[in-house]
C-alpha cells in the first residue's frame, strides 16, 4: 500500500511519434506557420482593415463632436438670453457679461454688436466687425448706418446725404427727424418749432 498521490494532468502521458504522430513536442512548441507570402497578404489585409475601422471611428467621433459643439453653442445662447432677461437692475445688467440695457424698453437683454464700444470686446462677439475709422462695432456683412458717419468725407454718398448745417449723415430715402434740428432756422419741412423752459425747440 502506498500513500495516496494526486495525479497531474500529464502524468503517465508520453509524447511518441509512433503512437501519436499528430501530437509532437515540436507541434506543441512551434505551431505550423503559413508561408511567408501568405503571411504578408494576411498582414496587409489586416492593416487595411484596421485603417478602415479607424477612419470609420474618427468619422463618427467628428460628427459627434460637431453635434456636441452645436448643442453647446445653442445652450449657451439660450442660457445667456434667459440670464439677461431675468435681470431687473440696470447697473447689474451693465455689469453682466453678454448683457445690455435697452433704454427704449427699459429692460435687460442679450448684447448685440452695436452694444460693444471697445474693439477687443467687439471682436470677441461672434459675427461682429469693428470699424477703426468710425469706432463702431457692427454685424459682419451688413451696411453701417448712415448716422454713424460723423465726417462728411466718410459719408457714403451713394446711399446717404450729408447735411452740413446739422453735421449729419442720413439715409437718402428718409426724411430727417424733427428732433435732429436744433434751431428754429433749421427746423425742416413738416416740423414745428416750439420753445421750452429747457431752451430746446
Amino acid at each position: 500500500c502506498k500513500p495516496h498521490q494526486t495525479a497531474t494532468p500529464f502524468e503517465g502521458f508520453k509524447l511518441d511519434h509512433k503512437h501519436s504522430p499528430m501530437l509532437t513536442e515540436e507541434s506543441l512548441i512551434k505551431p505550423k506557420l503559413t508561408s511567408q507570402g501568405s503571411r504578408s497578404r494576411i498582414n496587409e489585409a489586416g492593416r487595411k482593415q484596421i485603417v478602415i475601422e479607424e477612419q470609420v471611428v474618427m468619422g463618427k467621433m467628428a460628427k459627434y463632436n460637431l453635434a456636441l459643439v452645436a448643442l453647446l453653442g445653442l445652450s449657451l445662447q439660450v442660457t445667456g438670453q434667459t440670464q439677461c432677461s431675468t435681470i431687473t437692475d440696470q447697473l447689474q445688467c451693465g455689469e453682466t457679461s453678454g448683457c445690455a440695457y435697452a433704454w427704449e424698453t427699459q429692460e435687460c437683454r442679450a448684447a448685440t454688436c452695436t452694444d460693444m464700444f471697445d474693439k477687443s470686446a467687439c471682436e470677441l462677439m461672434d459675427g461682429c466687425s469693428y470699424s477703426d475709422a468710425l469706432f463702431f462695432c457692427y454685424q459682419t456683412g451688413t451696411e453701417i448706418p448712415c448716422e454713424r458717419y460723423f465726417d462728411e468725407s466718410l459719408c457714403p454718398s451713394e446711399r446717404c446725404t450729408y447735411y452740413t448745417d446739422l453735421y449729419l449723415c442720413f439715409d437718402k430715402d428718409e426724411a430727417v427727424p424733427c428732433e435732429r434740428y436744433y434751431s428754429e432756422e433749421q427746423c425742416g419741412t413738416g416740423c414745428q418749432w416750439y420753445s421750452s423752459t429747457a431752451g430746446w425747440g
Side-chain angles (χ1 to χ4, degrees):
C1 181
K2 296 182 179 179
H4 178 73
Q5 293 182 352
T6 303
T8 61
F10 296 102
E11 186 173 348
F13 181 81
K14 184 177 180 181
L15 294 173
D16 190 344
H17 276 287
K18 295 180 180 180
H19 296 91
S20 302
M22 297 301 293
L23 184 63
T24 66
E25 292 182 9
E26 183 180 0
S27 67
L28 289 174
I29 297 172
K30 296 180 182 181
K32 186 177 181 181
L33 299 176
T34 58
S35 65
Q36 183 66 32
S38 298
R39 290 202 304 272
S40 298
R41 287 193 295 272
I42 292 173
N43 291 339
E44 182 65 24
R47 283 195 294 269
K48 287 182 179 180
Q49 182 64 29
I50 291 173
V51 171
I52 293 173
E53 289 177 357
E54 286 179 346
Q55 290 175 343
V56 171
V57 171
M58 292 299 291
K60 289 181 178 179
M61 288 179 65
K63 291 181 180 179
Y64 172 79
N65 288 338
L66 288 174
L68 183 61
V69 168
L71 181 61
L72 179 61
L74 179 60
S75 176
L76 290 174
Q77 182 181 6
V78 173
T79 302
Q81 291 175 349
T82 303
Q83 178 188 11
C84 296
S85 62
T86 58
I87 299 174
T88 56
D89 182 73
Q90 174 190 337
L91 293 178
Q92 183 185 354
C93 178
E95 294 172 353
T96 304
S97 178
C99 298
Y101 191 76
W103 291 97
E104 62 277 7
T105 58
Q106 301 291 300
E107 61 182 1
C108 188
R109 57 168 173 75
T112 61
C113 300
T114 55
D115 294 313
M116 301 294 107
F117 300 102
D118 181 71
K119 181 177 181 179
S120 57
C122 174
E123 292 176 341
L124 288 175
M125 288 277 288
D126 186 33
C128 297
S129 298
Y130 189 82
S131 170
D132 292 309
L134 303 176
F135 305 100
F136 181 64
C137 182
Y138 63 99
Q139 186 176 351
T140 303
T142 62
E143 292 183 333
I144 298 176
C146 297
E147 291 183 76
R148 300 304 307 183
Y149 295 91
F150 300 106
D151 192 320
E152 183 176 5
S153 62
L154 296 176
C155 183
S157 58
E158 67 277 5
R159 60 185 179 89
C160 308
T161 299
Y162 190 83
Y163 299 87
T164 54
D165 53 340
L166 301 176
Y167 302 100
L168 174 67
C169 181
F170 206 75
D171 196 308
K172 273 185 174 182
D173 300 326
E174 296 183 15
V176 177
C178 297
E179 61 267 20
R180 301 307 296 267
Y181 295 99
Y182 301 106
S183 70
E184 187 173 359
E185 292 74 21
Q186 293 177 336
C187 192
T189 304
C191 301
Q192 182 178 355
W193 180 263
Y194 66 96
S195 298
S196 68
T197 56
W200 295 95

